[in-house]
Amino acid sequence: MGNIKRLPQPLLANYEWQVDGACRSTGPEQFFHGEAERGRKRHNRDAAAKAVCATCPVLRRCLEHALEVREPYGVWGGTTPEERAVMIASQAS
């Protein structure tokens, strides 16, 4: 389990941006890979998720949230966990 101390307080104002997310019209399986998913299959799913993100009116806020809480799973704000790790590392240096 991840460190939940970085999560915003459970107040509506902290999460209401998610109501406008383009991802609300798809299932979570498009944004979160299964345990055994690797290679081309994972790449294609990530690409499909990023295509949804590219149309999203809250893309920037979603990415800010993922970076702020250091979201370790799924595509958020058009980025994979690996891409966000690089962004966080570059901010730290």
Side-chain angles (χ1 to χ4, degrees):
M1 179 170 201
N3 182 352
I4 63 171
K5 292 179 181 178
R6 291 187 293 260
L7 294 175
Q9 292 298 312
L11 304 171
L12 180 61
N14 292 331
Y15 294 97
E16 65 187 348
W17 59 269
Q18 293 179 353
V19 172
D20 296 324
C23 59
R24 290 181 55 88
S25 64
T26 65
E29 64 279 352
Q30 186 164 5
F31 296 88
F32 297 91
H33 66 83
E35 270 187 54
E37 187 181 72
R38 301 281 186 274
R40 171 96 21 225
K41 186 173 180 180
R42 185 169 176 178
H43 173 78
N44 290 343
R45 185 199 38 76
D46 284 344
K50 289 178 176 188
V52 173
C53 293
T55 69
C56 188
V58 294
L59 175 102
R60 184 174 301 256
R61 179 63 189 105
C62 183
L63 177 56
E64 289 170 357
H65 168 79
L67 292 172
E68 182 180 319
V69 303
R70 297 183 185 220
E71 178 59 57
Y73 305 107
V75 173
W76 289 77
T79 63
T80 64
E82 297 79 15
E83 292 166 338
R84 290 191 301 276
V86 170
M87 295 168 121
I88 290 167
S90 70
Q91 291 174 349
S93 56

